[in-house]
Amino acid sequence: MLSNVPEQFNLLFLSTPVGPLGSGLGGGVELTLQNIATALTNQGHQVTIVAPDGSSVSSQAHHSNLSVIGIPGTLQQTAQHQGRAEPSQIPNNAVLENMWDYARQVQHDYHLLVNFAYDWLPFYLTTWLDRPVAHLISMGSLTDAMDTIIQKTNDRFPGTLAVHTHTQAATFANSDRWQCLGNGLDLSLYTFQPHSGESLAWVGRIAPEKGLEDAIAAIHKLNIPLHIFGKIEDIAYWQRIQNAYPDAPIHYRGFLPTEDLQAALGKCRGLVMTPKWIEAFGNVAIEALACGVPVIAYRRGGPAEIVQHGTTGWLVESDNVDGLAEAIAQLDGLDRHACRQQAEDQYSLAAMGDRVINWLTDVWISHHELRL
Ligand code: UDP
């Protein structure tokens, strides 16, 4: 065992190249990265975030140990809309390439690099860099090219891969030794609201894999208002949904910063989650619980590991709109205090920070042992 493990790590975080931090284009990984940065700077570690130009961290994440470097270049396409057999593509003058070129140049100022991008290049580059790279994989298996490079990285650098849930890990082969980190929130930013209005909430990127149409079909049957929060990623899809349900009582509220999102979400009777893919985690589930809002979700992916069926929400057979409607009708039997309690017990930021630093410490130790 090495004795010289740094007490304070100096860490370089490489963000998702699909959008600037704060834009919403990156989905849950934007909040996750900022939360982990906050958790680790609170512990005294130093974090530098490399992210596409135009990035901003939320005011809560500001800390003297935290800095952000903006990098220019063309944004990356999101992997979730690619076919399984499609090749990984890198656009001309890619921000992904430029971010990792920057990392190569400054790597010796850091103990460790942490990759948050679900892209082929950072996995490939792991072998070529002097400093160890830890990879937090933010989605389930999507393409053969990604599966293969992730597997090669796993074989060559065991212990460097982490995921959010067991269900997510199970979409990949040979993933039983990967770190399962769950997730965590700064719960002080989410106000518990013991009482709610009539409306339901749906929160997420508006894109086909999120299945918004099923939530709308369910509330349409019941004639209960649905407030929709999130980035419109696929405009044509959003148009199709609106055309399909012209009379549904839906209210699009836009993409809100966390402070406003939690205030509005907390007023809702329940959050409806209708993923059509294996959601790796589902940050919005724990954000709702933190506000005291029960979660109705398809029994698929991360939400199925989060929701305590019958206590903090209802899990519904996947793609069953009638089941969603029945669960919505039973929302009032759930105790909003139990929701907040679950968030406090299982999803605190400090506990997430401990899990992450233990993982990074192991990665650092393995790297130095290999080099001895
Ligand atoms: N979000 C937000 N404002 C909004 C709607 C969503 O900040 O108005 C954020 C939310 O906090 C969450 C992310 O968008 O962190 C969605 O992440 P999730 O893990 O649920 O799904 P993903 O987009 O990663 O598939």
Side-chain angles (χ1 to χ4, degrees), residues 26-29 31 203-205 210 229-231 254-258 261 277 279 282-284 287:
V29 72
L31 183 70
V203 187
R205 287 175 296 106
K210 294 292 193 172
F229 304 88
K231 189 93 192 164
F255 177 78
L256 304 183
T258 298
L261 175 66
W277 67 341
E279 190 84 55
N283 279 346
V284 301
E287 296 185 86

mmCIF file with all atom_site columns, all heavy atoms in Angstrom, residues 26-29 31 203-205 210 229-231 254-258 261 277 279 282-284 287, ligand 1:
data_model
loop_
_atom_site.group_PDB
_atom_site.id
_atom_site.type_symbol
_atom_site.label_atom_id
_atom_site.label_alt_id
_atom_site.label_comp_id
_atom_site.label_asym_id
_atom_site.label_entity_id
_atom_site.label_seq_id
_atom_site.pdbx_PDB_ins_code
_atom_site.Cartn_x
_atom_site.Cartn_y
_atom_site.Cartn_z
_atom_site.occupancy
_atom_site.B_iso_or_equiv
_atom_site.pdbx_formal_charge
_atom_site.auth_seq_id
_atom_site.auth_comp_id
_atom_site.auth_asym_id
_atom_site.auth_atom_id
_atom_site.pdbx_PDB_model_num
ATOM   1   N N   . GLY A 1 26  ? -26.579 19.235 -21.834 1.00 0.00 ? 26  GLY A N   1
ATOM   2   C CA  . GLY A 1 26  ? -25.850 18.070 -21.328 1.00 0.00 ? 26  GLY A CA  1
ATOM   3   C C   . GLY A 1 26  ? -26.706 17.175 -20.447 1.00 0.00 ? 26  GLY A C   1
ATOM   4   O O   . GLY A 1 26  ? -26.251 16.116 -20.018 1.00 0.00 ? 26  GLY A O   1
ATOM   5   N N   . GLY A 1 27  ? -27.941 17.581 -20.148 1.00 0.00 ? 27  GLY A N   1
ATOM   6   C CA  . GLY A 1 27  ? -28.806 16.764 -19.291 1.00 0.00 ? 27  GLY A CA  1
ATOM   7   C C   . GLY A 1 27  ? -28.256 16.679 -17.872 1.00 0.00 ? 27  GLY A C   1
ATOM   8   O O   . GLY A 1 27  ? -27.578 17.593 -17.390 1.00 0.00 ? 27  GLY A O   1
ATOM   9   N N   . GLY A 1 28  ? -28.537 15.553 -17.223 1.00 0.00 ? 28  GLY A N   1
ATOM   10  C CA  . GLY A 1 28  ? -28.227 15.391 -15.803 1.00 0.00 ? 28  GLY A CA  1
ATOM   11  C C   . GLY A 1 28  ? -26.751 15.511 -15.469 1.00 0.00 ? 28  GLY A C   1
ATOM   12  O O   . GLY A 1 28  ? -26.391 15.869 -14.344 1.00 0.00 ? 28  GLY A O   1
ATOM   13  N N   . VAL A 1 29  ? -25.890 15.233 -16.451 1.00 0.00 ? 29  VAL A N   1
ATOM   14  C CA  . VAL A 1 29  ? -24.453 15.256 -16.166 1.00 0.00 ? 29  VAL A CA  1
ATOM   15  C C   . VAL A 1 29  ? -23.996 16.659 -15.730 1.00 0.00 ? 29  VAL A C   1
ATOM   16  O O   . VAL A 1 29  ? -23.059 16.803 -14.928 1.00 0.00 ? 29  VAL A O   1
ATOM   17  C CB  . VAL A 1 29  ? -23.648 14.711 -17.375 1.00 0.00 ? 29  VAL A CB  1
ATOM   18  C CG1 . VAL A 1 29  ? -23.621 15.646 -18.520 1.00 0.00 ? 29  VAL A CG1 1
ATOM   19  C CG2 . VAL A 1 29  ? -22.247 14.318 -16.977 1.00 0.00 ? 29  VAL A CG2 1
ATOM   20  N N   . LEU A 1 31  ? -25.601 18.846 -13.761 1.00 0.00 ? 31  LEU A N   1
ATOM   21  C CA  . LEU A 1 31  ? -25.840 18.988 -12.324 1.00 0.00 ? 31  LEU A CA  1
ATOM   22  C C   . LEU A 1 31  ? -24.919 18.053 -11.545 1.00 0.00 ? 31  LEU A C   1
ATOM   23  O O   . LEU A 1 31  ? -24.330 18.431 -10.518 1.00 0.00 ? 31  LEU A O   1
ATOM   24  C CB  . LEU A 1 31  ? -27.308 18.680 -12.000 1.00 0.00 ? 31  LEU A CB  1
ATOM   25  C CG  . LEU A 1 31  ? -27.715 18.871 -10.548 1.00 0.00 ? 31  LEU A CG  1
ATOM   26  C CD1 . LEU A 1 31  ? -27.720 20.352 -10.175 1.00 0.00 ? 31  LEU A CD1 1
ATOM   27  C CD2 . LEU A 1 31  ? -29.099 18.269 -10.278 1.00 0.00 ? 31  LEU A CD2 1
ATOM   28  N N   . VAL A 1 203 ? -40.253 16.540 -15.698 1.00 0.00 ? 203 VAL A N   1
ATOM   29  C CA  . VAL A 1 203 ? -39.008 17.315 -15.779 1.00 0.00 ? 203 VAL A CA  1
ATOM   30  C C   . VAL A 1 203 ? -37.968 16.538 -16.587 1.00 0.00 ? 203 VAL A C   1
ATOM   31  O O   . VAL A 1 203 ? -37.698 15.372 -16.287 1.00 0.00 ? 203 VAL A O   1
ATOM   32  C CB  . VAL A 1 203 ? -38.425 17.597 -14.370 1.00 0.00 ? 203 VAL A CB  1
ATOM   33  C CG1 . VAL A 1 203 ? -37.237 18.551 -14.471 1.00 0.00 ? 203 VAL A CG1 1
ATOM   34  C CG2 . VAL A 1 203 ? -39.480 18.167 -13.429 1.00 0.00 ? 203 VAL A CG2 1
ATOM   35  N N   . GLY A 1 204 ? -37.378 17.177 -17.580 1.00 0.00 ? 204 GLY A N   1
ATOM   36  C CA  . GLY A 1 204 ? -36.306 16.511 -18.326 1.00 0.00 ? 204 GLY A CA  1
ATOM   37  C C   . GLY A 1 204 ? -36.099 17.137 -19.687 1.00 0.00 ? 204 GLY A C   1
ATOM   38  O O   . GLY A 1 204 ? -36.827 18.040 -20.095 1.00 0.00 ? 204 GLY A O   1
ATOM   39  N N   . ARG A 1 205 ? -35.083 16.604 -20.382 1.00 0.00 ? 205 ARG A N   1
ATOM   40  C CA  . ARG A 1 205 ? -34.874 17.035 -21.762 1.00 0.00 ? 205 ARG A CA  1
ATOM   41  C C   . ARG A 1 205 ? -36.062 16.561 -22.583 1.00 0.00 ? 205 ARG A C   1
ATOM   42  O O   . ARG A 1 205 ? -36.513 15.416 -22.439 1.00 0.00 ? 205 ARG A O   1
ATOM   43  C CB  . ARG A 1 205 ? -33.599 16.397 -22.330 1.00 0.00 ? 205 ARG A CB  1
ATOM   44  C CG  . ARG A 1 205 ? -32.306 16.954 -21.789 1.00 0.00 ? 205 ARG A CG  1
ATOM   45  C CD  . ARG A 1 205 ? -31.092 16.187 -22.313 1.00 0.00 ? 205 ARG A CD  1
ATOM   46  N NE  . ARG A 1 205 ? -31.094 14.810 -21.850 1.00 0.00 ? 205 ARG A NE  1
ATOM   47  C CZ  . ARG A 1 205 ? -31.374 13.759 -22.588 1.00 0.00 ? 205 ARG A CZ  1
ATOM   48  N NH1 . ARG A 1 205 ? -31.639 13.898 -23.877 1.00 0.00 ? 205 ARG A NH1 1
ATOM   49  N NH2 . ARG A 1 205 ? -31.377 12.549 -22.079 1.00 0.00 ? 205 ARG A NH2 1
ATOM   50  N N   . LYS A 1 210 ? -37.237 10.174 -23.548 1.00 0.00 ? 210 LYS A N   1
ATOM   51  C CA  . LYS A 1 210 ? -37.809 10.554 -22.260 1.00 0.00 ? 210 LYS A CA  1
ATOM   52  C C   . LYS A 1 210 ? -39.320 10.289 -22.184 1.00 0.00 ? 210 LYS A C   1
ATOM   53  O O   . LYS A 1 210 ? -39.919 10.417 -21.119 1.00 0.00 ? 210 LYS A O   1
ATOM   54  C CB  . LYS A 1 210 ? -37.528 12.034 -21.987 1.00 0.00 ? 210 LYS A CB  1
ATOM   55  C CG  . LYS A 1 210 ? -36.050 12.347 -21.800 1.00 0.00 ? 210 LYS A CG  1
ATOM   56  C CD  . LYS A 1 210 ? -35.569 11.724 -20.507 1.00 0.00 ? 210 LYS A CD  1
ATOM   57  C CE  . LYS A 1 210 ? -34.211 12.248 -20.102 1.00 0.00 ? 210 LYS A CE  1
ATOM   58  N NZ  . LYS A 1 210 ? -33.849 11.790 -18.769 1.00 0.00 ? 210 LYS A NZ  1
ATOM   59  N N   . PHE A 1 229 ? -41.060 20.937 -17.395 1.00 0.00 ? 229 PHE A N   1
ATOM   60  C CA  . PHE A 1 229 ? -39.848 21.748 -17.210 1.00 0.00 ? 229 PHE A CA  1
ATOM   61  C C   . PHE A 1 229 ? -38.711 21.085 -17.968 1.00 0.00 ? 229 PHE A C   1
ATOM   62  O O   . PHE A 1 229 ? -38.463 19.889 -17.782 1.00 0.00 ? 229 PHE A O   1
ATOM   63  C CB  . PHE A 1 229 ? -39.452 21.795 -15.730 1.00 0.00 ? 229 PHE A CB  1
ATOM   64  C CG  . PHE A 1 229 ? -40.526 22.307 -14.820 1.00 0.00 ? 229 PHE A CG  1
ATOM   65  C CD1 . PHE A 1 229 ? -41.462 21.433 -14.272 1.00 0.00 ? 229 PHE A CD1 1
ATOM   66  C CD2 . PHE A 1 229 ? -40.598 23.653 -14.495 1.00 0.00 ? 229 PHE A CD2 1
ATOM   67  C CE1 . PHE A 1 229 ? -42.452 21.898 -13.413 1.00 0.00 ? 229 PHE A CE1 1
ATOM   68  C CE2 . PHE A 1 229 ? -41.584 24.126 -13.644 1.00 0.00 ? 229 PHE A CE2 1
ATOM   69  C CZ  . PHE A 1 229 ? -42.523 23.243 -13.095 1.00 0.00 ? 229 PHE A CZ  1
ATOM   70  N N   . GLY A 1 230 ? -37.970 21.828 -18.778 1.00 0.00 ? 230 GLY A N   1
ATOM   71  C CA  . GLY A 1 230 ? -36.795 21.233 -19.402 1.00 0.00 ? 230 GLY A CA  1
ATOM   72  C C   . GLY A 1 230 ? -36.482 21.826 -20.749 1.00 0.00 ? 230 GLY A C   1
ATOM   73  O O   . GLY A 1 230 ? -37.294 22.513 -21.367 1.00 0.00 ? 230 GLY A O   1
ATOM   74  N N   . LYS A 1 231 ? -35.289 21.510 -21.185 1.00 0.00 ? 231 LYS A N   1
ATOM   75  C CA  . LYS A 1 231 ? -34.778 21.982 -22.469 1.00 0.00 ? 231 LYS A CA  1
ATOM   76  C C   . LYS A 1 231 ? -35.493 21.263 -23.603 1.00 0.00 ? 231 LYS A C   1
ATOM   77  O O   . LYS A 1 231 ? -35.607 20.038 -23.579 1.00 0.00 ? 231 LYS A O   1
ATOM   78  C CB  . LYS A 1 231 ? -33.291 21.633 -22.512 1.00 0.00 ? 231 LYS A CB  1
ATOM   79  C CG  . LYS A 1 231 ? -32.554 22.212 -23.662 1.00 0.00 ? 231 LYS A CG  1
ATOM   80  C CD  . LYS A 1 231 ? -31.964 23.523 -23.259 1.00 0.00 ? 231 LYS A CD  1
ATOM   81  C CE  . LYS A 1 231 ? -31.462 24.282 -24.444 1.00 0.00 ? 231 LYS A CE  1
ATOM   82  N NZ  . LYS A 1 231 ? -31.239 25.690 -24.106 1.00 0.00 ? 231 LYS A NZ  1
ATOM   83  N N   . GLY A 1 254 ? -40.445 26.020 -19.429 1.00 0.00 ? 254 GLY A N   1
ATOM   84  C CA  . GLY A 1 254 ? -39.085 26.373 -19.835 1.00 0.00 ? 254 GLY A CA  1
ATOM   85  C C   . GLY A 1 254 ? -38.033 25.594 -19.051 1.00 0.00 ? 254 GLY A C   1
ATOM   86  O O   . GLY A 1 254 ? -38.360 24.713 -18.255 1.00 0.00 ? 254 GLY A O   1
ATOM   87  N N   . PHE A 1 255 ? -36.777 25.926 -19.305 1.00 0.00 ? 255 PHE A N   1
ATOM   88  C CA  . PHE A 1 255 ? -35.653 25.299 -18.596 1.00 0.00 ? 255 PHE A CA  1
ATOM   89  C C   . PHE A 1 255 ? -35.240 26.247 -17.475 1.00 0.00 ? 255 PHE A C   1
ATOM   90  O O   . PHE A 1 255 ? -34.778 27.359 -17.729 1.00 0.00 ? 255 PHE A O   1
ATOM   91  C CB  . PHE A 1 255 ? -34.486 25.053 -19.559 1.00 0.00 ? 255 PHE A CB  1
ATOM   92  C CG  . PHE A 1 255 ? -33.272 24.477 -18.874 1.00 0.00 ? 255 PHE A CG  1
ATOM   93  C CD1 . PHE A 1 255 ? -33.223 23.135 -18.553 1.00 0.00 ? 255 PHE A CD1 1
ATOM   94  C CD2 . PHE A 1 255 ? -32.200 25.292 -18.550 1.00 0.00 ? 255 PHE A CD2 1
ATOM   95  C CE1 . PHE A 1 255 ? -32.105 22.601 -17.905 1.00 0.00 ? 255 PHE A CE1 1
ATOM   96  C CE2 . PHE A 1 255 ? -31.081 24.769 -17.907 1.00 0.00 ? 255 PHE A CE2 1
ATOM   97  C CZ  . PHE A 1 255 ? -31.039 23.418 -17.588 1.00 0.00 ? 255 PHE A CZ  1
ATOM   98  N N   . LEU A 1 256 ? -35.440 25.843 -16.244 1.00 0.00 ? 256 LEU A N   1
ATOM   99  C CA  . LEU A 1 256 ? -35.216 26.735 -15.106 1.00 0.00 ? 256 LEU A CA  1
ATOM   100 C C   . LEU A 1 256 ? -33.929 26.392 -14.362 1.00 0.00 ? 256 LEU A C   1
ATOM   101 O O   . LEU A 1 256 ? -33.560 25.218 -14.277 1.00 0.00 ? 256 LEU A O   1
ATOM   102 C CB  . LEU A 1 256 ? -36.381 26.603 -14.113 1.00 0.00 ? 256 LEU A CB  1
ATOM   103 C CG  . LEU A 1 256 ? -37.793 26.850 -14.637 1.00 0.00 ? 256 LEU A CG  1
ATOM   104 C CD1 . LEU A 1 256 ? -38.812 26.755 -13.491 1.00 0.00 ? 256 LEU A CD1 1
ATOM   105 C CD2 . LEU A 1 256 ? -37.904 28.208 -15.310 1.00 0.00 ? 256 LEU A CD2 1
ATOM   106 N N   . PRO A 1 257 ? -33.258 27.407 -13.784 1.00 0.00 ? 257 PRO A N   1
ATOM   107 C CA  . PRO A 1 257 ? -32.135 27.101 -12.899 1.00 0.00 ? 257 PRO A CA  1
ATOM   108 C C   . PRO A 1 257 ? -32.639 26.355 -11.655 1.00 0.00 ? 257 PRO A C   1
ATOM   109 O O   . PRO A 1 257 ? -33.829 26.465 -11.303 1.00 0.00 ? 257 PRO A O   1
ATOM   110 C CB  . PRO A 1 257 ? -31.571 28.478 -12.529 1.00 0.00 ? 257 PRO A CB  1
ATOM   111 C CG  . PRO A 1 257 ? -32.605 29.471 -12.910 1.00 0.00 ? 257 PRO A CG  1
ATOM   112 C CD  . PRO A 1 257 ? -33.510 28.837 -13.928 1.00 0.00 ? 257 PRO A CD  1
ATOM   113 N N   . THR A 1 258 ? -31.751 25.610 -11.010 1.00 0.00 ? 258 THR A N   1
ATOM   114 C CA  . THR A 1 258 ? -32.146 24.735 -9.900  1.00 0.00 ? 258 THR A CA  1
ATOM   115 C C   . THR A 1 258 ? -33.024 25.437 -8.866  1.00 0.00 ? 258 THR A C   1
ATOM   116 O O   . THR A 1 258 ? -34.035 24.890 -8.423  1.00 0.00 ? 258 THR A O   1
ATOM   117 C CB  . THR A 1 258 ? -30.879 24.172 -9.213  1.00 0.00 ? 258 THR A CB  1
ATOM   118 O OG1 . THR A 1 258 ? -30.169 23.407 -10.178 1.00 0.00 ? 258 THR A OG1 1
ATOM   119 C CG2 . THR A 1 258 ? -31.218 23.287 -8.026  1.00 0.00 ? 258 THR A CG2 1
ATOM   120 N N   . LEU A 1 261 ? -36.425 25.834 -10.312 1.00 0.00 ? 261 LEU A N   1
ATOM   121 C CA  . LEU A 1 261 ? -37.012 24.523 -10.600 1.00 0.00 ? 261 LEU A CA  1
ATOM   122 C C   . LEU A 1 261 ? -37.536 23.889 -9.314  1.00 0.00 ? 261 LEU A C   1
ATOM   123 O O   . LEU A 1 261 ? -38.674 23.406 -9.261  1.00 0.00 ? 261 LEU A O   1
ATOM   124 C CB  . LEU A 1 261 ? -35.963 23.613 -11.257 1.00 0.00 ? 261 LEU A CB  1
ATOM   125 C CG  . LEU A 1 261 ? -36.410 22.171 -11.493 1.00 0.00 ? 261 LEU A CG  1
ATOM   126 C CD1 . LEU A 1 261 ? -37.542 22.105 -12.530 1.00 0.00 ? 261 LEU A CD1 1
ATOM   127 C CD2 . LEU A 1 261 ? -35.252 21.290 -11.959 1.00 0.00 ? 261 LEU A CD2 1
ATOM   128 N N   . TRP A 1 277 ? -35.985 4.640  -22.430 1.00 0.00 ? 277 TRP A N   1
ATOM   129 C CA  . TRP A 1 277 ? -34.673 3.998  -22.436 1.00 0.00 ? 277 TRP A CA  1
ATOM   130 C C   . TRP A 1 277 ? -34.325 3.638  -20.995 1.00 0.00 ? 277 TRP A C   1
ATOM   131 O O   . TRP A 1 277 ? -35.049 4.005  -20.071 1.00 0.00 ? 277 TRP A O   1
ATOM   132 C CB  . TRP A 1 277 ? -33.603 4.914  -23.053 1.00 0.00 ? 277 TRP A CB  1
ATOM   133 C CG  . TRP A 1 277 ? -33.283 6.167  -22.247 1.00 0.00 ? 277 TRP A CG  1
ATOM   134 C CD1 . TRP A 1 277 ? -34.052 6.744  -21.262 1.00 0.00 ? 277 TRP A CD1 1
ATOM   135 C CD2 . TRP A 1 277 ? -32.105 6.972  -22.339 1.00 0.00 ? 277 TRP A CD2 1
ATOM   136 N NE1 . TRP A 1 277 ? -33.436 7.870  -20.761 1.00 0.00 ? 277 TRP A NE1 1
ATOM   137 C CE2 . TRP A 1 277 ? -32.231 8.029  -21.397 1.00 0.00 ? 277 TRP A CE2 1
ATOM   138 C CE3 . TRP A 1 277 ? -30.950 6.923  -23.109 1.00 0.00 ? 277 TRP A CE3 1
ATOM   139 C CZ2 . TRP A 1 277 ? -31.258 9.010  -21.230 1.00 0.00 ? 277 TRP A CZ2 1
ATOM   140 C CZ3 . TRP A 1 277 ? -29.987 7.904  -22.932 1.00 0.00 ? 277 TRP A CZ3 1
ATOM   141 C CH2 . TRP A 1 277 ? -30.146 8.930  -22.009 1.00 0.00 ? 277 TRP A CH2 1
ATOM   142 N N   . GLU A 1 279 ? -32.794 4.628  -18.231 1.00 0.00 ? 279 GLU A N   1
ATOM   143 C CA  . GLU A 1 279 ? -32.288 5.858  -17.610 1.00 0.00 ? 279 GLU A CA  1
ATOM   144 C C   . GLU A 1 279 ? -31.136 5.462  -16.673 1.00 0.00 ? 279 GLU A C   1
ATOM   145 O O   . GLU A 1 279 ? -31.323 4.594  -15.814 1.00 0.00 ? 279 GLU A O   1
ATOM   146 C CB  . GLU A 1 279 ? -33.450 6.445  -16.805 1.00 0.00 ? 279 GLU A CB  1
ATOM   147 C CG  . GLU A 1 279 ? -33.263 7.806  -16.271 1.00 0.00 ? 279 GLU A CG  1
ATOM   148 C CD  . GLU A 1 279 ? -33.606 8.866  -17.299 1.00 0.00 ? 279 GLU A CD  1
ATOM   149 O OE1 . GLU A 1 279 ? -34.701 8.871  -17.854 1.00 0.00 ? 279 GLU A OE1 1
ATOM   150 O OE2 . GLU A 1 279 ? -32.717 9.692  -17.524 1.00 0.00 ? 279 GLU A OE2 1
ATOM   151 N N   . GLY A 1 282 ? -31.391 9.399  -13.294 1.00 0.00 ? 282 GLY A N   1
ATOM   152 C CA  . GLY A 1 282 ? -32.624 10.189 -13.227 1.00 0.00 ? 282 GLY A CA  1
ATOM   153 C C   . GLY A 1 282 ? -32.518 11.173 -12.076 1.00 0.00 ? 282 GLY A C   1
ATOM   154 O O   . GLY A 1 282 ? -33.183 11.030 -11.047 1.00 0.00 ? 282 GLY A O   1
ATOM   155 N N   . ASN A 1 283 ? -31.665 12.178 -12.274 1.00 0.00 ? 283 ASN A N   1
ATOM   156 C CA  . ASN A 1 283 ? -31.497 13.203 -11.227 1.00 0.00 ? 283 ASN A CA  1
ATOM   157 C C   . ASN A 1 283 ? -32.821 13.782 -10.781 1.00 0.00 ? 283 ASN A C   1
ATOM   158 O O   . ASN A 1 283 ? -33.015 14.104 -9.612  1.00 0.00 ? 283 ASN A O   1
ATOM   159 C CB  . ASN A 1 283 ? -30.639 14.361 -11.763 1.00 0.00 ? 283 ASN A CB  1
ATOM   160 C CG  . ASN A 1 283 ? -29.168 14.055 -11.708 1.00 0.00 ? 283 ASN A CG  1
ATOM   161 O OD1 . ASN A 1 283 ? -28.750 13.103 -11.056 1.00 0.00 ? 283 ASN A OD1 1
ATOM   162 N ND2 . ASN A 1 283 ? -28.372 14.869 -12.383 1.00 0.00 ? 283 ASN A ND2 1
ATOM   163 N N   . VAL A 1 284 ? -33.732 13.933 -11.740 1.00 0.00 ? 284 VAL A N   1
ATOM   164 C CA  . VAL A 1 284 ? -34.977 14.638 -11.407 1.00 0.00 ? 284 VAL A CA  1
ATOM   165 C C   . VAL A 1 284 ? -35.784 13.878 -10.360 1.00 0.00 ? 284 VAL A C   1
ATOM   166 O O   . VAL A 1 284 ? -36.549 14.482 -9.599  1.00 0.00 ? 284 VAL A O   1
ATOM   167 C CB  . VAL A 1 284 ? -35.821 14.951 -12.669 1.00 0.00 ? 284 VAL A CB  1
ATOM   168 C CG1 . VAL A 1 284 ? -35.017 15.802 -13.633 1.00 0.00 ? 284 VAL A CG1 1
ATOM   169 C CG2 . VAL A 1 284 ? -36.321 13.703 -13.351 1.00 0.00 ? 284 VAL A CG2 1
ATOM   170 N N   . GLU A 1 287 ? -34.387 14.985 -7.057  1.00 0.00 ? 287 GLU A N   1
ATOM   171 C CA  . GLU A 1 287 ? -34.712 16.404 -6.833  1.00 0.00 ? 287 GLU A CA  1
ATOM   172 C C   . GLU A 1 287 ? -36.160 16.526 -6.347  1.00 0.00 ? 287 GLU A C   1
ATOM   173 O O   . GLU A 1 287 ? -36.464 17.303 -5.449  1.00 0.00 ? 287 GLU A O   1
ATOM   174 C CB  . GLU A 1 287 ? -34.494 17.211 -8.119  1.00 0.00 ? 287 GLU A CB  1
ATOM   175 C CG  . GLU A 1 287 ? -33.033 17.222 -8.559  1.00 0.00 ? 287 GLU A CG  1
ATOM   176 C CD  . GLU A 1 287 ? -32.799 18.130 -9.757  1.00 0.00 ? 287 GLU A CD  1
ATOM   177 O OE1 . GLU A 1 287 ? -32.585 19.347 -9.561  1.00 0.00 ? 287 GLU A OE1 1
ATOM   178 O OE2 . GLU A 1 287 ? -32.839 17.628 -10.893 1.00 0.00 ? 287 GLU A OE2 1
HETATM 179 N N1  . UDP B 2 .   ? -33.177 20.504 -15.252 1.00 0.00 ? 1   UDP B N1  1
HETATM 180 C C1  . UDP B 2 .   ? -33.009 21.834 -14.907 1.00 0.00 ? 1   UDP B C1  1
HETATM 181 N N2  . UDP B 2 .   ? -34.014 22.726 -15.163 1.00 0.00 ? 1   UDP B N2  1
HETATM 182 C C2  . UDP B 2 .   ? -35.173 22.357 -15.758 1.00 0.00 ? 1   UDP B C2  1
HETATM 183 C C3  . UDP B 2 .   ? -35.351 20.999 -16.101 1.00 0.00 ? 1   UDP B C3  1
HETATM 184 C C4  . UDP B 2 .   ? -34.340 20.094 -15.848 1.00 0.00 ? 1   UDP B C4  1
HETATM 185 O O1  . UDP B 2 .   ? -31.963 22.214 -14.365 1.00 0.00 ? 1   UDP B O1  1
HETATM 186 O O2  . UDP B 2 .   ? -36.035 23.216 -15.961 1.00 0.00 ? 1   UDP B O2  1
HETATM 187 C C5  . UDP B 2 .   ? -32.084 19.541 -14.990 1.00 0.00 ? 1   UDP B C5  1
HETATM 188 C C6  . UDP B 2 .   ? -32.355 18.690 -13.765 1.00 0.00 ? 1   UDP B C6  1
HETATM 189 O O3  . UDP B 2 .   ? -31.948 19.344 -12.596 1.00 0.00 ? 1   UDP B O3  1
HETATM 190 C C7  . UDP B 2 .   ? -31.508 17.447 -14.030 1.00 0.00 ? 1   UDP B C7  1
HETATM 191 C C8  . UDP B 2 .   ? -31.371 17.435 -15.554 1.00 0.00 ? 1   UDP B C8  1
HETATM 192 O O4  . UDP B 2 .   ? -31.957 18.632 -16.048 1.00 0.00 ? 1   UDP B O4  1
HETATM 193 O O5  . UDP B 2 .   ? -30.237 17.535 -13.438 1.00 0.00 ? 1   UDP B O5  1
HETATM 194 C C9  . UDP B 2 .   ? -32.006 16.217 -16.169 1.00 0.00 ? 1   UDP B C9  1
HETATM 195 O O6  . UDP B 2 .   ? -31.244 15.132 -15.767 1.00 0.00 ? 1   UDP B O6  1
HETATM 196 P P1  . UDP B 2 .   ? -31.720 13.633 -15.654 1.00 0.00 ? 1   UDP B P1  1
HETATM 197 O O7  . UDP B 2 .   ? -30.643 12.869 -14.939 1.00 0.00 ? 1   UDP B O7  1
HETATM 198 O O8  . UDP B 2 .   ? -33.076 13.531 -15.043 1.00 0.00 ? 1   UDP B O8  1
HETATM 199 O O9  . UDP B 2 .   ? -31.858 13.130 -17.170 1.00 0.00 ? 1   UDP B O9  1
HETATM 200 P P2  . UDP B 2 .   ? -30.848 13.216 -18.435 1.00 0.00 ? 1   UDP B P2  1
HETATM 201 O O10 . UDP B 2 .   ? -31.112 14.522 -19.102 1.00 0.00 ? 1   UDP B O10 1
HETATM 202 O O11 . UDP B 2 .   ? -29.455 13.099 -17.920 1.00 0.00 ? 1   UDP B O11 1
HETATM 203 O O12 . UDP B 2 .   ? -31.247 12.067 -19.305 1.00 0.00 ? 1   UDP B O12 1
#
